[in-house]
Amino acid sequence: MMRIGIDLGGTNIAAGLIDDGMEIVAQDTVRTPPGADAIVNEMEVLAHSLCSQAGLRLSDIECAGIGSPGAIDPREGMVVYSNNLNFRNVPLAVMLSHRLDMTVHIGNDANVAALGEFHAGAGRHISSMIMVTLGTGVGGGIVLGGRIYDGFNGMGGEVGHMAVVKDGEPCSCGRNGCWEAYASATGLIRMTRSAISRNPDSLLKSIAIDKGKVSGRTAFLAARRGDAAGNEVVEKYLSYVACGAANLINLFQPEMLCFGGGISNEGQYLIDRMLPMLEPELYDVGDRRTRVCLAELGNDAGIIGAAMM
Ligand SMILES: [Zn+2]
């Protein structure tokens, strides 16, 4: 039977109809309106639009799932807190369930994307996987035995908020030294800006001027073209990525650790440069080692994972 997967973001709501083979057979996107009632209205409209695209009725759909930013209580169907959506204790899944007259599950967007990768992307055919998203922040999802591990209260798996530097850089969560403060695009941009000010004659600086801004790509562009300052930033940035990845591997020994999010668009270059930094930090387990790779589904992971909850 078909399921509906909804990826709720601060900017857009993307929804898809997923078949038993975990293929997206219909898809639609709308802008995210302000307020819970308006969001539920848009989700209902999306559900009808997907059904009409596929020539189905709502009653033909098995269930729906929502991936949402913020702290989620999956058991209560509730967004406990989301800075992005300006939500506190909003029973979003319950509200949509009443509208659509079907079961609606909800989970944290990073957890949900990991579930999508596990079922239909890089994690097909394996038993345990951790997905790390390197974007504006650092998100993640831990999938053990086919299920998301999210703690007793639904809020576990926040890999971005383990510290990699005691008393380090301030993090958006209020703690200092979190992995997110170093391995996110935000952290990378901070390191890039600092290197530009120390190296005014570098290619790194001229790339930033050409593009009109410093982004998460600036240092990688410079490093790929052989610039010493760009290379130094990439080396430092990846050493932090490797540190957190080693923590996760040593703790969980998952069959796979995959990287998604905007910075993972650097592709195999990112993995190839990071692996030599990662290996010495791993607890030695012999020949059966975690495979470190890139996620495969991109934005579809959130939609498929939401449907698979
Ligand atoms: Zn934090």
Side-chain angles (χ1 to χ4, degrees):
M1 269 179 98
M2 298 281 187
R3 300 170 177 198
I4 292 174
I6 302 172
D7 184 9
L8 170 59
T11 312
N12 290 313
I13 310 174
L17 201 59
I18 315 298
D19 69 11
D20 290 331
M22 283 174 281
E23 296 282 336
I24 300 178
V25 297
Q27 200 165 353
D28 202 356
T29 302
V30 296
R31 301 284 292 180
T32 308
D37 287 320
I39 285 173
V40 171
N41 283 341
E42 289 294 351
M43 287 178 174
E44 187 182 3
V45 171
L46 281 169
H48 285 290
S49 148
L50 296 175
C51 284
S52 73
Q53 281 182 50
L56 297 170
R57 285 169 309 177
L58 214 47
S59 56
D60 298 324
I61 308 298
E62 186 181 0
C63 60
I66 305 168
S68 166
I72 310 298
D73 185 337
R75 284 98 183 148
E76 300 294 331
M78 176 122 70
V79 180
V80 176
Y81 175 72
S82 170
N83 184 32
N84 239 331
L85 301 168
N86 199 16
F87 277 10
R88 193 175 280 280
N89 294 325
V90 174
L92 200 63
V94 179
M95 291 162 74
L96 187 62
S97 173
H98 288 153
R99 288 291 182 85
L100 302 181
D101 193 26
M102 69 176 74
T103 305
V104 178
H105 300 279
I106 190 166
N108 168 269
D109 52 4
N111 283 343
V112 164
L115 194 64
E117 276 298 331
F118 177 79
H119 282 293
R124 296 184 309 275
H125 317 304
I126 63 165
S127 65
S128 58
M129 184 194 88
I130 298 178
M131 176 166 161
V132 174
T133 50
L134 304 173
T136 311
V138 174
I142 300 164
V143 184
L144 302 174
R147 295 185 73 88
I148 288 285
Y149 177 79
D150 59 3
F152 86 100
N153 52 11
M155 302 190 200
E158 287 290 344
V159 300
H161 301 291
M162 65 176 165
V164 292
V165 179
K166 172 85 176 120
D167 301 326
E169 294 286 338
C171 180
S172 59
C173 74
R175 196 181 183 198
N176 286 67
C178 287
W179 196 23
E180 174 165 301
Y182 295 87
S184 61
T186 317
L188 174 56
I189 288 168
R190 184 185 68 241
M191 292 173 209
T192 305
R193 288 216 167 97
S194 154
I196 286 172
S197 69
R198 282 182 279 111
N199 299 278
D201 301 325
S202 61
L203 178 64
L204 183 67
K205 183 169 181 178
S206 50
I207 288 174
I209 290 169
D210 279 354
K211 303 274 179 193
K213 64 172 182 183
V214 176
S215 76
R217 298 205 59 203
T218 313
F220 278 98
L221 280 168
R224 284 177 196 263
R225 288 168 59 184
D227 177 62
N231 199 53
E232 189 191 313
V233 174
V234 166
E235 193 80 0
K236 187 170 164 198
Y237 169 75
L238 290 178
S239 75
Y240 288 116
V241 175
C243 174
N247 289 347
L248 291 173
I249 292 173
N250 290 346
L251 191 54
F252 291 97
Q253 294 294 341
E255 207 171 329
M256 174 182 287
L257 187 141
C258 71
F259 286 99
I263 294 177
S264 74
N265 291 332
E266 297 299 333
Q268 199 56 38
Y269 178 84
L270 180 141
I271 303 287
D272 291 344
R273 287 206 56 174
M274 186 192 53
L275 281 181
M277 300 180 213
L278 178 69
E279 304 252 315
E281 296 200 53
L282 295 179
Y283 185 79
D284 200 336
V285 291
D287 294 336
R288 300 185 67 208
R289 286 168 172 267
T290 300
R291 199 175 134 218
V292 179
C293 59
L294 297 166
E296 292 175 3
L297 295 180
N299 294 335
D300 290 349
I303 294 173
I304 295 173
M308 293 313 295
M309 277 191 292

